[in-house]
């Protein structure tokens, strides 16, 4: 009986990827870190998942959508504690409420900017950037990379000054647009055009923190795993975060 003929709910890795939208590469990564081990692996190396693994993956994906880091997801799914899940949901609700308030501030900032441009009013630098929060991911960053790295990054960010911060944000926008354009014309991760964007992205990150090969791979994998980052990079074209991750793998092997 072939895998596609099975009626017991077992899926191979390709079927699971199509069903969930999680790439085969990500599923293999989850296996390598012990987050989601397949029920069995065929002689051809293809991973297969049964009902318990499917339920575990659902739990993982729910937590990922809530913005939970992979390390914490691993601890939660291993514990399988309903109280912990409820606590995560409550924390997410609080985060959504805070994000709603932040978007309200951003909307007000944009409205003031329109008004200032139409009426020739001058806005202060603080008014221009009211609502932009660069500290929202700091607790996760400290857990992932340590206090010393985050403190050094914060110091580098402060050194940029207002003009430097504006240029840094504009570069980020240009990178997102370039990745989106690359996705739309189906450029490969190892293409010269994509590698040029990746080099610019690594340089952009390195203004604040210079990641080595493993750290850069981990960072760009997080861009795919974490919905908040994925939605940012996928803003122009879905799949841009994945292209960044795959291109970073090529770049890290060649240059870092």
């Amino acid at each position: 009986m072939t895998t596609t003929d099975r009626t017991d709910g077992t899926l191979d890795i390709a079927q699971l990827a199509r069903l969930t939208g999680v790439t085969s590469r990500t599923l293999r990564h989850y296996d390598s870190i012990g987050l989601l081990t397949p029920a069995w692996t065929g002689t051809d190396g293809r991973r297969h998942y049964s009902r318990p693994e499917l339920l575990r993956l659902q739990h993982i994906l729910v937590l990922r959508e809530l913005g939970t880091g992979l390390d914490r997801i691993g601890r939660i799914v291993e514990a399988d504690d309903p109280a912990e899940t409820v606590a995560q949901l409550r924390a997410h609700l609080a985060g959504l409420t805070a994000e709603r308030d932040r978007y309200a501030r951003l909307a007000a900032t944009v409205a003031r900017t329109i008004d200032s441009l139409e009426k020739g009013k001058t806005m202060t630098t603080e008014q221009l950037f009211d609502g932009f929060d660069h500290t929202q991911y700091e607790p996760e960053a400290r857990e992932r990379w340590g206090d010393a790295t985050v403190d050094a990054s914060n110091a580098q960010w402060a050194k940029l000054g207002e003009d430097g911060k504006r240029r840094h944000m504009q570069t980020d926008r240009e990178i997102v647009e370039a990745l989106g354009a690359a996705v739309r014309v189906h450029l490969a991760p190892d293409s010269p055009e994509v590698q040029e964007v990746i080099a610019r992205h690594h340089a952009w990150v390195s203004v604040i923190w210079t990641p080595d090969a493993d750290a850069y791979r981990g960072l760009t994998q997080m861009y795919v795993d974490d919905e908040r980052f994925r939605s940012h990079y996928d803003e122009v074209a879905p799949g841009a975060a994945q292209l960044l991750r795959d291109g970073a793998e090529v770049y890290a092997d060649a240059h870092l």
Side-chain angles (χ1 to χ4, degrees):
M1 180 181 293
T2 65
T3 301
T4 53
D5 291 331
R6 298 184 67 92
T7 59
D8 60 359
T10 299
L11 301 176
D12 67 24
I13 190 169
Q15 292 172 313
L16 187 58
R18 287 194 297 271
L19 177 67
T20 63
V22 179
T23 65
S24 296
R25 181 187 179 121
T26 297
L27 291 170
R28 290 193 294 272
H29 175 66
Y30 287 173
D31 184 14
S32 70
I33 64 176
L35 184 60
L36 181 68
T37 303
W40 54 281
T41 302
T43 56
D44 59 354
R46 187 180 292 269
R47 294 163 172 82
H48 298 262
Y49 302 83
S50 60
R51 186 72 173 177
E53 291 76 44
L54 301 183
L55 290 171
R56 183 180 176 98
L57 178 59
Q58 184 201 57
H59 196 180
I60 291 168
L61 296 181
V62 168
L63 291 169
R64 197 179 74 174
E65 290 295 326
L66 298 182
T68 309
L70 288 183
D71 290 344
R72 184 161 176 78
I73 287 175
R75 293 194 296 270
I76 293 171
V77 297
E78 286 298 331
D80 195 22
D81 183 357
E84 180 67 26
T85 301
V86 170
Q88 282 287 322
L89 289 170
R90 292 188 185 281
H92 183 54
L93 177 60
L96 286 174
T97 302
E99 195 72 353
R100 177 201 63 195
D101 294 342
R102 188 174 74 86
Y103 274 114
R105 287 175 59 197
L106 284 173
T109 296
V110 172
R112 284 196 300 271
T113 302
I114 293 171
D115 187 60
S116 72
L117 292 173
E118 289 180 340
K119 299 179 180 179
K121 297 179 180 178
T122 300
M123 295 177 68
T124 67
T125 301
E126 289 74 16
Q127 288 174 326
L128 278 172
F129 293 101
D130 184 32
F132 291 94
D133 182 8
H134 297 284
T135 64
Q136 59 181 316
Y137 304 120
E138 186 167 313
E140 291 179 40
R142 290 185 179 279
E143 182 177 350
R144 184 182 293 268
W145 289 296
D147 289 338
T149 297
V150 174
D151 288 342
S153 296
N154 287 342
Q156 288 299 112
W157 176 253
K159 287 181 182 178
L160 290 179
E162 297 302 333
D163 288 340
K165 290 175 182 178
R166 279 194 293 270
R167 288 194 298 270
H168 197 67
M169 293 168 65
Q170 178 59 34
T171 299
D172 171 62
R173 183 72 237 161
E174 292 167 358
I175 289 170
V176 169
E177 291 176 352
L179 287 168
V183 168
R184 287 175 171 171
V185 297
H186 308 293
L187 292 178
D190 60 353
S191 66
E193 296 87 349
V194 170
Q195 285 300 296
E196 182 179 346
V197 178
I198 301 304
R200 190 178 186 191
H201 179 266
H202 185 267
W204 176 80
V205 172
S206 297
V207 170
I208 307 300
W209 162 61
T210 304
D212 60 17
D214 288 340
Y216 192 47
R217 292 188 190 98
L219 178 68
T220 54
Q221 179 66 52
M222 183 182 69
Y223 291 161
V224 175
D225 290 339
D226 192 313
E227 171 61 26
R228 296 165 298 179
F229 291 100
R230 189 169 68 251
S231 62
H232 171 67
Y233 284 101
D234 284 0
E235 180 183 346
V236 174
Q242 182 176 332
L243 180 63
L244 174 57
R245 188 270 316 276
D246 294 345
E249 181 76 27
V250 176
Y251 184 84
D253 289 343
H255 301 290
L256 301 181

